[in-house]
Amino acid sequence: MFSRVALNTAKRSVRSVAQSQARFMTTKPTMASNPMQFGLVTGAIVGTTAAAFMYADASANMADEGLHPPSHPWPHSGPLDTFDHAAIRRGYQVYREVCAACHSLDRIAWRNLIGVSHTEAEVKAMAEEYEYQDGPDDNGEMFMRPGKPADYMPKTYPNEEAARAANAGALPPDLSLITKARHGGEDYVFALLTGYVDAPGGVEVREGLNYNPYFPGGAIAMARTLFDGVVEYEDGTPATASQMAKDVCTFLAWAAEPEHDDRKKMGLKATILLVGLTALSVWLKRFKWAPIKNRKFVYNPPK
């Protein structure tokens, strides 16, 4: 009796397994016969999900990241273009008379300006306007001396705490590498300097802050500093706010990459040299291999 029951149970199990396998096997011919349709549907689902995720993430972080700056045709942005050295000189003047009140240039020495925007005599005169601590002397004491071209540009504040105390807790960044440290480079700095507007309706800005849509978060401690005529250029260029912003951005781009012009000159020389050597190699290869490739073998069988 027990054997009969076990046999019937085994038959039912085998029958159910066979039916389930047949049911699943019916999907295989469909996928195998329409692989393109299956791939398109899968790709559409994955693409739609990824696009929705990216859109939601970008929308959520738009205010935190700030408005994307527009792109400008900078004179030095081309592969063979160099800096506008007159703009570098004007930009240094804007930095010295406006930006240097809060921001420093720790990585730029006075000597870096020689032959770029100023003569050696001008650089020496500008450096001597500042005093630097030096020593010790013969008595073991530190002393103050006039600056030299080998000295780095002086810091605006002696330390970070003093900088924060003078700016209501905000720390003015060093501008030596600012165009490399910010997404957008010169475009971001230009947009930031010229992008001060009134806060739109519904946006509250804390006291002591200023609204600038290009700054992450929209609220920046630095007030607008560039106004028409705030600087009087030596060469007579009209000192509009946009002109001063362009010039100081050019100067900061040079400060972040002083070897920019030399690097492009070296790249051009290397390109010419490599092209010449490549052409010579191709000609030599054809000269050496042409007789070998074009030779003809003739077999004369013995008679």
Side-chain angles (χ1 to χ4, degrees):
M1 180 179 180
F2 288 104
S3 60
R4 189 181 301 111
V5 173
L7 180 61
N8 293 333
T9 305
K11 289 181 179 180
R12 286 195 297 269
S13 301
V14 172
R15 192 180 301 111
S16 61
V17 170
Q19 291 177 355
S20 62
Q21 288 182 351
R23 185 169 58 253
F24 284 111
M25 288 174 61
T26 56
T27 60
K28 293 182 180 179
T30 304
M31 294 174 56
S33 59
N34 299 305
M36 182 176 295
Q37 180 180 3
F38 178 75
L40 291 176
V41 172
T42 305
I45 294 174
V46 174
T48 304
T49 304
F53 176 78
M54 294 176 62
Y55 177 79
D57 184 68
S59 301
N61 296 331
M62 185 66 71
D64 296 335
E65 296 178 359
L67 191 63
H68 187 76
S71 179
H72 299 284
W74 296 97
H76 54 272
S77 59
L80 301 179
D81 295 331
T82 59
F83 281 117
D84 182 357
H85 290 256
I88 294 178
R89 184 183 179 96
R90 294 193 301 268
Y92 170 74
Q93 183 179 353
V94 175
Y95 165 77
R96 185 176 183 180
E97 298 183 14
V98 180
C99 307
C102 299
H103 300 274
S104 59
L105 279 175
D106 293 343
R107 297 177 179 268
I108 299 299
W110 293 107
R111 65 175 181 271
N112 296 131
L113 298 174
I114 299 177
V116 176
S117 58
H118 296 76
T119 63
E120 184 176 357
E122 290 174 330
V123 171
K124 288 182 177 180
M126 291 188 298
E128 290 175 353
E129 296 178 4
Y130 299 89
E131 289 190 343
Y132 291 81
Q133 188 180 40
D134 204 347
D137 55 12
D138 295 338
N139 297 324
E141 296 180 356
M142 306 298 290
F143 60 93
M144 303 300 292
R145 60 163 179 80
K148 299 182 295 184
D151 295 321
Y152 284 83
M153 292 188 178
K155 294 183 178 181
T156 307
Y157 301 101
N159 49 60
E160 179 179 334
E161 288 71 18
R164 291 187 180 276
N167 293 276
L171 179 63
D174 179 79
L175 299 183
S176 301
L177 300 174
I178 194 66
T179 58
K180 298 294 184 183
R182 298 293 185 271
H183 178 70
E186 305 95 290
D187 293 326
Y188 167 77
V189 178
F190 182 87
L192 187 70
L193 293 175
T194 59
Y196 287 90
V197 293
D198 295 332
V203 176
E204 296 183 2
V205 180
R206 291 192 294 111
E207 184 178 358
L209 299 181
N210 305 273
Y211 181 75
N212 192 316
Y214 297 100
F215 187 76
I220 183 173
M222 182 180 72
R224 181 182 176 184
T225 56
L226 297 182
F227 299 91
D228 294 346
V230 71
V231 172
E232 185 176 354
Y233 284 135
E234 301 171 350
D235 58 0
T237 302
T240 61
S242 59
Q243 180 66 48
M244 289 184 290
K246 172 184 175 295
D247 293 337
V248 76
C249 287
T250 302
F251 169 72
L252 294 177
W254 167 83
E257 197 175 6
E259 74 283 356
H260 176 274
D261 292 357
D262 293 335
R263 176 174 55 81
K264 287 189 175 180
K265 291 179 182 178
M266 184 62 69
L268 180 60
K269 294 178 182 178
T271 301
I272 295 175
L273 181 62
L274 291 176
V275 170
L277 291 176
T278 302
L280 180 61
S281 300
V282 172
W283 176 84
L284 184 62
K285 180 259 182 187
R286 292 176 63 88
F287 177 78
K288 291 292 186 180
W289 282 90
I292 299 176
K293 288 186 175 181
N294 295 328
R295 64 185 177 179
K296 184 182 296 184
F297 291 92
V298 178
Y299 174 69
N300 294 320
K303 296 182 180 180

